[in-house]
Amino acid sequence: GQQLNQSPQSMFIQEGEDVSMNCTSSSIFNTWLWYKQDPGEGPVLLIALYKAGELTSNGRLTAQFGITRKDSFLNISASIPSDVGIYFCAGFPSGGGADGLTFGKGTHLIIQP
Amino acid sequence: ETGVTQSPTHLIKTRGQQVTLRCSSQSGHNTVSWYQQALGQGPQFIFQYYREEENGRGNFPPRFSGLQFPNYSSELNVNALELDDSALYLCASSFFTTGELFFGEGSRLTVL
């Protein structure tokens, strides 16, 4: 099946720093979604991207749909303690929704005081 | 709060038993999908229901089955439970089959 390569696997940063993570695939995706998951909870949708080249912001978060449709990145500016958690990229492959969302393995963000 | 509710939140079963998990979708959403999330992994797609019919399935055996009801709520049934079925089971609803998915908080299943 489809696979998404998400990196880095984990990040240890200082409060106030900017964060960047990305996701790549060997095949084309029609939609990219970025989620955040806290322990014991379900993933929460952060940003949705539908067009190649699209750049979308949600507060301190910015995400882009790569022009090749095979990658996406998420940036977080001026990190704060509540940004701690696991961030997942996910996408619908070009064949449509019948294959469901494919998820990356997650980026674990840890903020050091 | 996504408006997607799941029950039960936690349950423990023994190998060979059967389990039913339930999900109420967000108001206005007509598509429900189920995902399995093992510890330390991203969610894996089990199947999707649209208009009470299964219209997509991941790489899961037939002992994983589901239903969608006229009010768009859904059930996930797993027969002949195995130890590897221990996971967080997530339900997600969306307005259409390739739309933004909104997840519930999950049902944590432990198989002993």
Side-chain angles (χ1 to χ4, degrees):
Chain A
Q2 308 282 355
Q3 288 196 351
L4 291 180
N5 300 307
Q6 188 171 350
S7 64
Q9 187 174 0
S10 58
M11 301 183 73
F12 295 80
I13 64 167
Q14 302 283 340
E15 183 177 348
E17 288 185 9
D18 296 343
V19 171
S20 183
M21 59 191 79
N22 67 78
C23 217
T24 60
S25 170
S26 58
S27 53
I28 290 172
F29 278 70
N30 282 341
T31 302
W32 287 95
L33 305 172
W34 284 91
Y35 288 89
K36 178 176 183 277
Q37 187 174 28
D38 292 328
E41 299 184 8
V44 174
L45 181 64
L46 301 174
I47 292 181
L49 302 160
Y50 291 101
K51 294 180 184 178
E54 180 181 355
L55 184 70
T56 297
S57 293
N58 178 9
R60 293 179 296 105
L61 278 62
T62 301
Q64 184 158 30
F65 192 141
I67 197 72
T68 65
R69 297 170 62 194
K70 294 182 178 181
D71 63 329
S72 177
F73 72 75
L74 175 70
N75 288 340
I76 305 172
S77 63
S79 58
I80 59 177
S82 62
D83 291 334
V84 167
I86 303 176
Y87 292 79
F88 289 100
C89 63
F92 283 113
S94 60
D99 294 331
L101 270 179
T102 298
F103 278 81
K105 292 189 175 181
T107 294
H108 194 175
L109 181 60
I110 299 162
I111 298 178
Q112 298 167 329
Chain B
E1 286 272 334
T2 64
V4 179
T5 58
Q6 293 187 241
S7 63
T9 55
H10 295 83
L11 69 167
I12 300 173
K13 293 284 187 178
T14 56
R15 197 168 46 180
Q17 284 188 313
Q18 178 265 344
V19 68
T20 297
L21 308 177
R22 296 178 175 83
C23 173
S24 294
S25 59
Q26 184 169 323
S27 177
H29 286 182
N30 57 16
T31 302
V32 174
S33 49
W34 286 89
Y35 289 76
Q36 180 195 67
Q37 187 176 24
L39 206 59
Q41 301 293 317
Q44 297 285 319
F45 175 63
I46 303 175
F47 45 55
Q48 176 176 270
Y49 278 81
Y50 173 68
R51 292 185 175 180
E52 303 176 51
E53 297 279 337
E54 183 184 300
N55 77 335
R57 189 178 184 94
N59 189 26
F60 281 82
R63 59 189 185 85
F64 286 77
S65 63
L67 287 171
Q68 186 184 28
F69 301 100
N71 66 354
Y72 304 125
S73 65
S74 177
E75 285 183 356
L76 164 66
N77 298 291
V78 187
N79 293 323
L81 284 167
E82 301 176 358
L83 297 179
D84 285 349
D85 294 333
S86 295
L88 181 68
Y89 287 86
L90 295 163
C91 170
S93 73
S94 57
F95 184 61
F96 50 95
T97 57
T98 56
E100 300 165 13
L101 267 62
F102 295 89
F103 285 86
E105 298 209 346
S107 294
R108 170 74 63 188
L109 171 65
T110 302
V111 182
L112 302 176

